[in-house]
Amino acid sequence: MSAIEVNIHILLVTFPAQGHVKPAIRFARRLTASNASLLVSLATNEAIGQQMRDSGAAGSDEHISFETFSDGLSVVGNQLDADKFMAQLNRAGPEGLATLINDLQVRGRPVHCIVSNPFVPWVVDVAEGFGIPCAMLWVQSCAVYAVCYQSLYRLDEFPTPERLNIDVSLRGLPVLKTNELPSFLVPFGPYQCLADAILGHIKKIKKVKWVLANSFHALETEAIQSVSELTPIMTIGPLVPLGLLGRSTASEVRGDLWKSEDDCLDWLNTQPKESVIYVSFGSIVSLSPKQIEELAWGLASSGRPFLWVAKPVDSTSEFLLPTGFLDATAGRGKIVKWCPQVEVLTHPSVSCFVTHCGWNSTLETIAAGTPILAFAHWGDQVTNAKFLVDVYSVGVRLERDAEGVVRREEVCRCIEEIREGPRAAKIRENAMKLKEAAREALEEGGSSDKNLMVFVEDLISLAS
Ligand code: UDX
């Protein structure tokens, strides 16, 4: 690293979870590729820092360094639930981050800009305390940002415990039913601690000089326009590996928190073109045993090949497939714990993606032009699914029954619907159009490329 003349140093703070680390690394890479005078330090807590080192996620890039700060917890053996973890991070994170900033200064690498994450609002105060300008990397959709902003200031009627199931009409967005709103904003919805963090961050948004969103203009034109009338936002996405969009790049640091079973690509090589159903629910969603059983038998009776990321929720649990399932699908199914998702999505054998609609998976699928079987669970996933199916028309929704389970017949029906017939053809056509729009946003002079350049030029003029 000594050979590099460091002019501008950006400290990119990421929330310690896979869905946040991935876009942060991709953003870091985009920045350092855009201007040789930028150096990025990507900072997260010690536990995730350790996990990244163990899985090789940190990789090596001479312009990007990986740093950690203390959250007051030991590196191993922390199984705090989300509420307790968020409370602990809020308590200890500010001091840990301040220590890191001082340490970087001592190491001759003073910080010129701090990039925050929506789940860690206190980063804004730490930046203010040091007098360092602050940006925020919004890692969900602009539609979700619009919902959060309008919910915070109650710009329209939102569900209350007394009136839970209502239609919500917000500017720039389609009418959203309660179960299509990010679930942390809905009374009794899971992960309310995320609402506290996100809304807490939006409350401080005037102290943030740049709000950079992982999205692109052509995808969310109305939502972006409506948000921009309330508060400035710049889209710089999709943050996907540029290779996915047909651009040749230096090899990207993948940022996986688990070891990837890359040999599944060899298996894909043996499958017919556009035949394989890819199934994955990201890094956090867990399926009930009943749901695993129904999904498994749905895949079995579809008669089609499949690649399923069957990831246990944590190191102490197992992902139990139903008895007889592996025999029934022998030679036709491949089960892994973690895979190189981007390579899988762009593999010629893959025909469609059964996804939980996490925002990274959503953008990667859009950039790959792959049709979607939307199986959202909570958080922003339900809003993303609404857009994928009803607004962009690039997918089919797997419907739950009265018990909240997607049954095997429904799995089979949706697989047929997305593969055959006029709706399938239209979905493929729309998916290819969105893929092209994603490519255009990132090419030189495209909407996201221009916004990134504005940010970089602002940084350069601040430092000069
Ligand atoms: C979480 C939330 O669940 C999601 O709703 C929110 O939008 C972001 O934070 P996660 O559930 O992990 O994220 O989903 P997602 O956003 O899709 O991110 C998962 C990432 O892991 C993607 O980049 C995906 O490519 C990657 N992945 C997943 C792999 O590389 N290999 C796998 O086997 C599975």
Side-chain angles (χ1 to χ4, degrees), residues 216-241:
F216 59 102
H217 200 267
L219 184 70
E220 298 200 89
T221 311
E222 282 91 26
I224 294 165
Q225 218 163 333
S226 71
V227 170
S228 302
E229 285 162 14
L230 302 166
T231 180
I233 191 164
M234 294 159 86
T235 48
I236 46 87
L239 291 171
V240 295

PDB file of all heavy atoms in Angstrom, residues 216-241:
ATOM      1  N   PHE A 216     -31.237   2.517  -9.484  1.00  0.00           N
ATOM      2  CA  PHE A 216     -30.952   3.335 -10.671  1.00  0.00           C
ATOM      3  C   PHE A 216     -32.236   3.991 -11.170  1.00  0.00           C
ATOM      4  O   PHE A 216     -33.343   3.518 -10.922  1.00  0.00           O
ATOM      5  CB  PHE A 216     -30.225   2.544 -11.762  1.00  0.00           C
ATOM      6  CG  PHE A 216     -30.939   1.325 -12.290  1.00  0.00           C
ATOM      7  CD1 PHE A 216     -31.596   1.356 -13.521  1.00  0.00           C
ATOM      8  CD2 PHE A 216     -30.930   0.131 -11.580  1.00  0.00           C
ATOM      9  CE1 PHE A 216     -32.223   0.235 -14.027  1.00  0.00           C
ATOM     10  CE2 PHE A 216     -31.563  -0.997 -12.081  1.00  0.00           C
ATOM     11  CZ  PHE A 216     -32.206  -0.954 -13.304  1.00  0.00           C
ATOM     12  N   HIS A 217     -32.020   5.109 -11.859  1.00  0.00           N
ATOM     13  CA  HIS A 217     -33.120   6.004 -12.155  1.00  0.00           C
ATOM     14  C   HIS A 217     -34.225   5.346 -12.962  1.00  0.00           C
ATOM     15  O   HIS A 217     -35.411   5.456 -12.637  1.00  0.00           O
ATOM     16  CB  HIS A 217     -32.582   7.253 -12.876  1.00  0.00           C
ATOM     17  CG  HIS A 217     -33.528   8.393 -12.788  1.00  0.00           C
ATOM     18  ND1 HIS A 217     -34.471   8.634 -13.756  1.00  0.00           N
ATOM     19  CD2 HIS A 217     -33.713   9.324 -11.830  1.00  0.00           C
ATOM     20  CE1 HIS A 217     -35.194   9.678 -13.398  1.00  0.00           C
ATOM     21  NE2 HIS A 217     -34.762  10.123 -12.231  1.00  0.00           N
ATOM     22  N   ALA A 218     -33.849   4.604 -14.004  1.00  0.00           N
ATOM     23  CA  ALA A 218     -34.881   4.033 -14.877  1.00  0.00           C
ATOM     24  C   ALA A 218     -35.727   2.995 -14.140  1.00  0.00           C
ATOM     25  O   ALA A 218     -36.877   2.759 -14.510  1.00  0.00           O
ATOM     26  CB  ALA A 218     -34.220   3.393 -16.098  1.00  0.00           C
ATOM     27  N   LEU A 219     -35.185   2.410 -13.083  1.00  0.00           N
ATOM     28  CA  LEU A 219     -35.929   1.381 -12.344  1.00  0.00           C
ATOM     29  C   LEU A 219     -36.993   2.001 -11.447  1.00  0.00           C
ATOM     30  O   LEU A 219     -38.086   1.461 -11.306  1.00  0.00           O
ATOM     31  CB  LEU A 219     -34.956   0.557 -11.478  1.00  0.00           C
ATOM     32  CG  LEU A 219     -35.549  -0.615 -10.703  1.00  0.00           C
ATOM     33  CD1 LEU A 219     -35.959  -1.742 -11.654  1.00  0.00           C
ATOM     34  CD2 LEU A 219     -34.564  -1.160  -9.677  1.00  0.00           C
ATOM     35  N   GLU A 220     -36.650   3.145 -10.831  1.00  0.00           N
ATOM     36  CA  GLU A 220     -37.536   3.684  -9.790  1.00  0.00           C
ATOM     37  C   GLU A 220     -37.825   5.162 -10.041  1.00  0.00           C
ATOM     38  O   GLU A 220     -37.818   5.966  -9.105  1.00  0.00           O
ATOM     39  CB  GLU A 220     -36.866   3.527  -8.430  1.00  0.00           C
ATOM     40  CG  GLU A 220     -36.600   2.091  -8.028  1.00  0.00           C
ATOM     41  CD  GLU A 220     -36.407   1.985  -6.529  1.00  0.00           C
ATOM     42  OE1 GLU A 220     -37.389   1.810  -5.812  1.00  0.00           O
ATOM     43  OE2 GLU A 220     -35.252   2.114  -6.091  1.00  0.00           O
ATOM     44  N   THR A 221     -38.089   5.507 -11.294  1.00  0.00           N
ATOM     45  CA  THR A 221     -38.205   6.915 -11.666  1.00  0.00           C
ATOM     46  C   THR A 221     -39.179   7.679 -10.755  1.00  0.00           C
ATOM     47  O   THR A 221     -38.825   8.723 -10.196  1.00  0.00           O
ATOM     48  CB  THR A 221     -38.653   7.027 -13.139  1.00  0.00           C
ATOM     49  OG1 THR A 221     -37.811   6.179 -13.904  1.00  0.00           O
ATOM     50  CG2 THR A 221     -38.556   8.452 -13.643  1.00  0.00           C
ATOM     51  N   GLU A 222     -40.395   7.151 -10.595  1.00  0.00           N
ATOM     52  CA  GLU A 222     -41.414   7.912  -9.822  1.00  0.00           C
ATOM     53  C   GLU A 222     -41.029   8.011  -8.341  1.00  0.00           C
ATOM     54  O   GLU A 222     -41.152   9.067  -7.739  1.00  0.00           O
ATOM     55  CB  GLU A 222     -42.805   7.273  -9.924  1.00  0.00           C
ATOM     56  CG  GLU A 222     -43.512   7.567 -11.239  1.00  0.00           C
ATOM     57  CD  GLU A 222     -43.209   6.487 -12.269  1.00  0.00           C
ATOM     58  OE1 GLU A 222     -42.913   5.354 -11.851  1.00  0.00           O
ATOM     59  OE2 GLU A 222     -43.245   6.777 -13.482  1.00  0.00           O
ATOM     60  N   ALA A 223     -40.565   6.891  -7.783  1.00  0.00           N
ATOM     61  CA  ALA A 223     -40.199   6.909  -6.354  1.00  0.00           C
ATOM     62  C   ALA A 223     -39.063   7.905  -6.125  1.00  0.00           C
ATOM     63  O   ALA A 223     -39.091   8.690  -5.163  1.00  0.00           O
ATOM     64  CB  ALA A 223     -39.783   5.517  -5.893  1.00  0.00           C
ATOM     65  N   ILE A 224     -38.078   7.902  -7.030  1.00  0.00           N
ATOM     66  CA  ILE A 224     -36.918   8.794  -6.870  1.00  0.00           C
ATOM     67  C   ILE A 224     -37.369  10.252  -6.974  1.00  0.00           C
ATOM     68  O   ILE A 224     -36.984  11.105  -6.177  1.00  0.00           O
ATOM     69  CB  ILE A 224     -35.833   8.470  -7.918  1.00  0.00           C
ATOM     70  CG1 ILE A 224     -35.260   7.078  -7.640  1.00  0.00           C
ATOM     71  CG2 ILE A 224     -34.731   9.520  -7.928  1.00  0.00           C
ATOM     72  CD1 ILE A 224     -34.463   6.476  -8.777  1.00  0.00           C
ATOM     73  N   GLN A 225     -38.235  10.488  -7.958  1.00  0.00           N
ATOM     74  CA  GLN A 225     -38.735  11.859  -8.145  1.00  0.00           C
ATOM     75  C   GLN A 225     -39.487  12.325  -6.895  1.00  0.00           C
ATOM     76  O   GLN A 225     -39.281  13.444  -6.423  1.00  0.00           O
ATOM     77  CB  GLN A 225     -39.683  11.867  -9.335  1.00  0.00           C
ATOM     78  CG  GLN A 225     -39.549  13.116 -10.162  1.00  0.00           C
ATOM     79  CD  GLN A 225     -40.179  12.865 -11.519  1.00  0.00           C
ATOM     80  OE1 GLN A 225     -40.237  11.719 -11.999  1.00  0.00           O
ATOM     81  NE2 GLN A 225     -40.672  13.904 -12.134  1.00  0.00           N
ATOM     82  N   SER A 226     -40.331  11.461  -6.354  1.00  0.00           N
ATOM     83  CA  SER A 226     -41.134  11.878  -5.196  1.00  0.00           C
ATOM     84  C   SER A 226     -40.255  12.092  -3.973  1.00  0.00           C
ATOM     85  O   SER A 226     -40.459  13.027  -3.210  1.00  0.00           O
ATOM     86  CB  SER A 226     -42.241  10.865  -4.910  1.00  0.00           C
ATOM     87  OG  SER A 226     -41.689   9.689  -4.386  1.00  0.00           O
ATOM     88  N   VAL A 227     -39.237  11.243  -3.795  1.00  0.00           N
ATOM     89  CA  VAL A 227     -38.334  11.444  -2.654  1.00  0.00           C
ATOM     90  C   VAL A 227     -37.556  12.738  -2.837  1.00  0.00           C
ATOM     91  O   VAL A 227     -37.402  13.525  -1.897  1.00  0.00           O
ATOM     92  CB  VAL A 227     -37.337  10.263  -2.514  1.00  0.00           C
ATOM     93  CG1 VAL A 227     -36.254  10.588  -1.500  1.00  0.00           C
ATOM     94  CG2 VAL A 227     -38.049   8.999  -2.100  1.00  0.00           C
ATOM     95  N   SER A 228     -37.091  12.960  -4.073  1.00  0.00           N
ATOM     96  CA  SER A 228     -36.245  14.133  -4.330  1.00  0.00           C
ATOM     97  C   SER A 228     -36.990  15.432  -4.041  1.00  0.00           C
ATOM     98  O   SER A 228     -36.370  16.439  -3.712  1.00  0.00           O
ATOM     99  CB  SER A 228     -35.766  14.147  -5.779  1.00  0.00           C
ATOM    100  OG  SER A 228     -35.064  12.966  -6.026  1.00  0.00           O
ATOM    101  N   GLU A 229     -38.323  15.401  -4.152  1.00  0.00           N
ATOM    102  CA  GLU A 229     -39.083  16.612  -3.817  1.00  0.00           C
ATOM    103  C   GLU A 229     -39.058  16.872  -2.315  1.00  0.00           C
ATOM    104  O   GLU A 229     -39.299  17.982  -1.861  1.00  0.00           O
ATOM    105  CB  GLU A 229     -40.538  16.464  -4.295  1.00  0.00           C
ATOM    106  CG  GLU A 229     -40.648  16.634  -5.805  1.00  0.00           C
ATOM    107  CD  GLU A 229     -41.959  16.085  -6.370  1.00  0.00           C
ATOM    108  OE1 GLU A 229     -42.891  15.811  -5.571  1.00  0.00           O
ATOM    109  OE2 GLU A 229     -42.037  15.929  -7.597  1.00  0.00           O
ATOM    110  N   LEU A 230     -38.772  15.836  -1.528  1.00  0.00           N
ATOM    111  CA  LEU A 230     -38.774  15.981  -0.070  1.00  0.00           C
ATOM    112  C   LEU A 230     -37.357  16.139   0.480  1.00  0.00           C
ATOM    113  O   LEU A 230     -37.120  16.905   1.402  1.00  0.00           O
ATOM    114  CB  LEU A 230     -39.417  14.742   0.574  1.00  0.00           C
ATOM    115  CG  LEU A 230     -40.862  14.429   0.147  1.00  0.00           C
ATOM    116  CD1 LEU A 230     -41.268  13.030   0.578  1.00  0.00           C
ATOM    117  CD2 LEU A 230     -41.815  15.452   0.743  1.00  0.00           C
ATOM    118  N   THR A 231     -36.416  15.384  -0.105  1.00  0.00           N
ATOM    119  CA  THR A 231     -35.045  15.376   0.417  1.00  0.00           C
ATOM    120  C   THR A 231     -34.124  14.841  -0.683  1.00  0.00           C
ATOM    121  O   THR A 231     -34.518  13.939  -1.413  1.00  0.00           O
ATOM    122  CB  THR A 231     -34.986  14.498   1.711  1.00  0.00           C
ATOM    123  OG1 THR A 231     -33.665  14.485   2.210  1.00  0.00           O
ATOM    124  CG2 THR A 231     -35.437  13.080   1.480  1.00  0.00           C
ATOM    125  N   PRO A 232     -32.911  15.409  -0.831  1.00  0.00           N
ATOM    126  CA  PRO A 232     -32.063  15.002  -1.966  1.00  0.00           C
ATOM    127  C   PRO A 232     -31.592  13.545  -1.882  1.00  0.00           C
ATOM    128  O   PRO A 232     -31.337  13.037  -0.792  1.00  0.00           O
ATOM    129  CB  PRO A 232     -30.851  15.942  -1.867  1.00  0.00           C
ATOM    130  CG  PRO A 232     -31.204  16.967  -0.868  1.00  0.00           C
ATOM    131  CD  PRO A 232     -32.299  16.445  -0.003  1.00  0.00           C
ATOM    132  N   ILE A 233     -31.497  12.901  -3.040  1.00  0.00           N
ATOM    133  CA  ILE A 233     -31.033  11.514  -3.101  1.00  0.00           C
ATOM    134  C   ILE A 233     -30.323  11.313  -4.438  1.00  0.00           C
ATOM    135  O   ILE A 233     -30.735  11.891  -5.452  1.00  0.00           O
ATOM    136  CB  ILE A 233     -32.217  10.535  -2.912  1.00  0.00           C
ATOM    137  CG1 ILE A 233     -31.728   9.103  -2.707  1.00  0.00           C
ATOM    138  CG2 ILE A 233     -33.205  10.592  -4.056  1.00  0.00           C
ATOM    139  CD1 ILE A 233     -32.800   8.181  -2.131  1.00  0.00           C
ATOM    140  N   MET A 234     -29.241  10.553  -4.448  1.00  0.00           N
ATOM    141  CA  MET A 234     -28.504  10.300  -5.705  1.00  0.00           C
ATOM    142  C   MET A 234     -28.378   8.795  -5.898  1.00  0.00           C
ATOM    143  O   MET A 234     -27.822   8.107  -5.047  1.00  0.00           O
ATOM    144  CB  MET A 234     -27.080  10.877  -5.609  1.00  0.00           C
ATOM    145  CG  MET A 234     -26.996  12.371  -5.507  1.00  0.00           C
ATOM    146  SD  MET A 234     -25.393  12.813  -4.786  1.00  0.00           S
ATOM    147  CE  MET A 234     -24.383  12.841  -6.252  1.00  0.00           C
ATOM    148  N   THR A 235     -28.868   8.280  -7.014  1.00  0.00           N
ATOM    149  CA  THR A 235     -28.754   6.835  -7.255  1.00  0.00           C
ATOM    150  C   THR A 235     -27.396   6.520  -7.878  1.00  0.00           C
ATOM    151  O   THR A 235     -26.963   7.199  -8.828  1.00  0.00           O
ATOM    152  CB  THR A 235     -29.867   6.345  -8.190  1.00  0.00           C
ATOM    153  OG1 THR A 235     -29.939   7.219  -9.309  1.00  0.00           O
ATOM    154  CG2 THR A 235     -31.201   6.300  -7.483  1.00  0.00           C
ATOM    155  N   ILE A 236     -26.728   5.510  -7.348  1.00  0.00           N
ATOM    156  CA  ILE A 236     -25.399   5.150  -7.862  1.00  0.00           C
ATOM    157  C   ILE A 236     -25.330   3.644  -8.197  1.00  0.00           C
ATOM    158  O   ILE A 236     -24.262   3.092  -8.363  1.00  0.00           O
ATOM    159  CB  ILE A 236     -24.277   5.548  -6.879  1.00  0.00           C
ATOM    160  CG1 ILE A 236     -24.605   5.160  -5.435  1.00  0.00           C
ATOM    161  CG2 ILE A 236     -24.033   7.044  -6.895  1.00  0.00           C
ATOM    162  CD1 ILE A 236     -24.214   3.807  -5.057  1.00  0.00           C
ATOM    163  N   GLY A 237     -26.496   2.998  -8.248  1.00  0.00           N
ATOM    164  CA  GLY A 237     -26.520   1.547  -8.453  1.00  0.00           C
ATOM    165  C   GLY A 237     -26.907   1.153  -9.863  1.00  0.00           C
ATOM    166  O   GLY A 237     -26.999   2.007 -10.736  1.00  0.00           O
ATOM    167  N   PRO A 238     -27.120  -0.110 -10.118  1.00  0.00           N
ATOM    168  CA  PRO A 238     -27.090  -1.174  -9.129  1.00  0.00           C
ATOM    169  C   PRO A 238     -25.658  -1.549  -8.745  1.00  0.00           C
ATOM    170  O   PRO A 238     -24.806  -1.669  -9.623  1.00  0.00           O
ATOM    171  CB  PRO A 238     -27.767  -2.347  -9.853  1.00  0.00           C
ATOM    172  CG  PRO A 238     -27.501  -2.117 -11.303  1.00  0.00           C
ATOM    173  CD  PRO A 238     -27.495  -0.623 -11.470  1.00  0.00           C
ATOM    174  N   LEU A 239     -25.446  -1.738  -7.415  1.00  0.00           N
ATOM    175  CA  LEU A 239     -24.134  -2.180  -6.959  1.00  0.00           C
ATOM    176  C   LEU A 239     -24.046  -3.688  -7.143  1.00  0.00           C
ATOM    177  O   LEU A 239     -24.340  -4.470  -6.246  1.00  0.00           O
ATOM    178  CB  LEU A 239     -23.907  -1.778  -5.502  1.00  0.00           C
ATOM    179  CG  LEU A 239     -23.759  -0.269  -5.275  1.00  0.00           C
ATOM    180  CD1 LEU A 239     -23.747   0.059  -3.792  1.00  0.00           C
ATOM    181  CD2 LEU A 239     -22.501   0.278  -5.961  1.00  0.00           C
ATOM    182  N   VAL A 240     -23.724  -4.064  -8.354  1.00  0.00           N
ATOM    183  CA  VAL A 240     -23.507  -5.471  -8.708  1.00  0.00           C
ATOM    184  C   VAL A 240     -22.132  -5.525  -9.348  1.00  0.00           C
ATOM    185  O   VAL A 240     -21.637  -4.502  -9.814  1.00  0.00           O
ATOM    186  CB  VAL A 240     -24.590  -5.983  -9.697  1.00  0.00           C
ATOM    187  CG1 VAL A 240     -25.957  -5.989  -9.034  1.00  0.00           C
ATOM    188  CG2 VAL A 240     -24.618  -5.153 -10.979  1.00  0.00           C
ATOM    189  N   PRO A 241     -21.503  -6.694  -9.390  1.00  0.00           N
ATOM    190  CA  PRO A 241     -20.201  -6.754 -10.062  1.00  0.00           C
ATOM    191  C   PRO A 241     -20.361  -6.308 -11.520  1.00  0.00           C
ATOM    192  O   PRO A 241     -21.309  -6.721 -12.193  1.00  0.00           O
ATOM    193  CB  PRO A 241     -19.832  -8.234  -9.986  1.00  0.00           C
ATOM    194  CG  PRO A 241     -20.633  -8.772  -8.862  1.00  0.00           C
ATOM    195  CD  PRO A 241     -21.903  -7.986  -8.833  1.00  0.00           C
TER     196      PRO A 241
END
